[in-house]
Amino acid sequence: MNYLQFAYRNILRHRRRSFVTIMTVCLGFVALGVLGGFLNNIFSRLKGQAVVAERFGHLTFAKKGFYQNGKLEPEKYLWNAKELETLLAVVRQNIDVELATPRLRMFGVTSNGKASTIFVTEAIVPEDDQKLIKTNVDGRSGIEGMVTFGARNRDNSSVIVGSELASMLKIKKGQNVTLLTSTKDGVANAVDVKISGDYNTGNPATNDKFILSDFSLAQNLYDTDGAERVIVTLKNPENIEIVKAQLIEELADAGLQVEAKTWDELSPSYKKVTTLFGIIFRVLTIIISVIVLLTVLNTMQMVVSERTKEIGTMRAIGMLRGQVIKLFCVEGLIMGVLGCLLAIPILFAIAGLLQVMGISFVPPVASVAVPLVMMFKIKNLLLVFALFSVVAIVSSFLVSRKIAAQQIVDSLSRG
Amino acid sequence: MIQEVISATKLIDFEGVSKTYQLGNQRIPALKGIDLTIESGDFIAIAGPSGSGKSTLLNLLALIDTPTSGDIRYNNIDVSTLSDDERTRYRNKEIGIVFQNYNLIPVLDALENVAFALQVQGVPTKECLKRAEKILREVGLGTHLHHRPANLSGGQKQRVAIARALVTNPSVVIADEPTAALDSKTGMEILELMKELNYTKNTTFIFSTHDNRIIDSVHHVVYIEDGFLMNRY
Ligand SMILES: Nc1ncnc2c1ncn2[C@@H]1O[C@H](COP(=O)(O)OP(=O)(O)OP(=O)(O)O)[C@@H](O)[C@H]1O
Ligand SMILES: [Mg+2]
């Protein structure tokens, strides 16, 4: 007879009460699991939108100070052709790097001949972009409805526009629009481009002004043979911070002072959503943990007061205070662990059901619907498991500590 | 108080032991300046009217309560100097306790109940069970090893309780009215068992009783009245 067996038999003794306690833990786990599963999925979809649809890749390298003063003095923060060559060579040498591609970004006004509106254009290298849109995001490669320029017979004056921009200007594939912008020196410049497609950027803040244009066209318009930024995707994005630091150092050795940003730093909507939901999730975790704590506390209180005489007997026979506390902590822990274990098949059943039902919804700060499915992270589930186990032990400890400290005669005279 | 046989060794020594209960702002003196010496191998009945302080005295003897004043020595150790854990370990090794209402643990069977007293010492389970089984056979329960308390009669439960008290080979067994919950025939059987164990193992027994038949059949009786030790013969 060890503590586990002894505790287990005691749990079976108060079947209904133990069952309610175990179910409370179980439901708490399911609630956190479902919410966490939804959030993981939403976060992952938004990540896909940022990395692929908004073309941020994993890492962006710009000249040091670009994000501070690049708008005011664009020329000063452009990489010239030679610098760009060095930059790309150094970055592409790193074994963790999947893709490195130059970019230019320009602002201006676009017109369909009748109406005009502001635009932002991200100038991309078509061959590179075909690879970028297949970047693996949490196991999914590619985003539904994502478009880029075709490789062959390509006319560098064609553009792809955000779907909201297309509908605002009522422009369709094959039609022309004019882009009014300026060179790096601030001289006005314009070009007629042909719409070759549209897509939803996933972000309502950019979907009404985003235009993908050809890098070579943009170089002409901007009057440069260099680039403003280099976008990098990694083979294993888990290592992003390490690779980032590595590359900054390697580039410094090559004489380039760079500023590097990760995709989430560049996507303010991702930050907003994850921060907000993260807070909600944390608050809910605390509330549910408190409910679990109170339930186990209450159960243990009842158990202990019913078994006071028995505790007195065990102490009289030679059980140490610590051993009594340990016994009750094991009882609490078993109920906590059983609750969590029971929750896991329930969670997967719910996940499977949602997959089959195929519901989708548009998360806040997004413009594209995402499927309402759950994505579980083993690490997070284990954390909740550990949290509830600790909560169960703590509540058992709090209750049993008092009873163990009682005078043995007082315990014995009860009941 | 008469002198005991010279060959016996002094096991327990009470010197001016008093116990006063505090009930609200009322002070209830339950024991008043008890001097008592108990020798190893004794078989002692404690008798006295209800409320005289028998249980209080036995609780102090069993080290499950502490006196308000006075000294209690076990094998010349002043037990008031022991920490709670030390006292518990001492109790586990040296003192067996038998309760009026058996106080067996309901989720454990007879064997496990007896083994429990060894297990809290950290003795390996196998050895605990072996020793528990041996002692259960000695008290005549070899056929009921795997019965839970609910499936045992009162007399059988008390036998399990005595086995549990003896399994650690204590110097003394303390029993507060061990026969009170039993019919008189079974009560006498339990008394015979205790006498036999006292004889064969030389374990000291101290128990309280209301039963005159039992008092008449025991050599050493300590009378207590109103918290005072009256006489001992
Ligand atoms: N926990 C307690 N709180 C207050 N008073 C108590 C307590 N326990 C015992 N007493 C009082 O102390 C006195 C002695 O009680 P004790 O239980 O030792 O008597 P007893 O001889 O065992 O009686 P009985 O034969 O009825 O079991 C009694 O007056 C009793 O009311
Ligand atoms: Mg009594």
Side-chain angles (χ1 to χ4, degrees), chain B residues 49-56 58 100 176-177 208 210:
Chain B
S50 186
S52 55
K54 301 185 292 296
S55 295
T56 306
L58 286 169
Q100 177 178 337
D176 193 2
E177 313 217 22
S208 65
H210 272 113

Side-chain angles (χ1 to χ4, degrees), chain A residues 1-2 5 9, chain B residues 108-119 123-137 145-146 167:
Chain A
M1 173 81 7
N2 54 37
Q5 274 176 296
R9 286 194 206 172
Chain B
L108 304 182
D109 65 23
L111 191 64
E112 290 163 341
N113 259 290
V114 176
F116 185 86
L118 287 172
Q119 267 179 324
V123 176
T125 306
K126 242 189 177 157
E127 196 192 328
C128 293
L129 294 174
K130 214 176 86 192
R131 281 168 67 181
E133 183 175 340
K134 183 165 172 280
I135 200 103
L136 275 169
R137 290 195 191 285
L145 299 178
H146 297 295
V167 74

Side-chain angles (χ1 to χ4, degrees), chain A residues 1-2 6 9-10 13 309-310 312-323 404 407-409 412, chain B residues 59 64-66 84-85 88-89 91-92 97 99 103 105-108 112 116-117 119-120 125 148 164:
Chain A
M1 173 81 7
N2 54 37
F6 191 19
R9 286 194 206 172
N10 280 326
R13 208 164 149 185
K309 190 175 177 181
E310 195 177 306
T313 305
M314 294 192 296
R315 294 267 295 118
I317 290 170
M319 208 176 192
L320 303 174
R321 280 179 178 162
Q323 291 175 315
Q407 275 283 345
I408 295 171
V409 272
L412 280 170
Chain B
N59 289 342
I64 58 175
D65 201 2
T66 46
D84 188 78
D85 277 4
T88 301
R89 288 202 184 92
R91 192 168 54 236
N92 178 254
I97 305 176
F99 304 90
N103 289 23
I105 295 161
V107 296
L108 304 182
E112 290 163 341
F116 185 86
Q119 267 179 324
V120 293
T125 306
R148 289 215 182 165
R164 177 175 67 183

Side-chain angles (χ1 to χ4, degrees), chain B residues 124-192:
Chain B
T125 306
K126 242 189 177 157
E127 196 192 328
C128 293
L129 294 174
K130 214 176 86 192
R131 281 168 67 181
E133 183 175 340
K134 183 165 172 280
I135 200 103
L136 275 169
R137 290 195 191 285
E138 284 174 33
V139 301
L141 278 180
T143 53
H144 291 70
L145 299 178
H146 297 295
H147 285 53
R148 289 215 182 165
N151 301 320
L152 292 170
S153 71
Q156 288 170 331
K157 280 189 246 191
Q158 203 57 304
R159 282 169 192 269
V160 175
I162 290 170
R164 177 175 67 183
L166 283 167
V167 74
T168 56
N169 283 324
S171 338
V172 58
V173 170
I174 297 187
D176 193 2
E177 313 217 22
T179 62
L182 303 169
D183 62 73
S184 64
K185 184 173 162 280
T186 316
M188 287 311 283
E189 282 170 16
I190 291 293
L191 181 75
E192 286 312 314

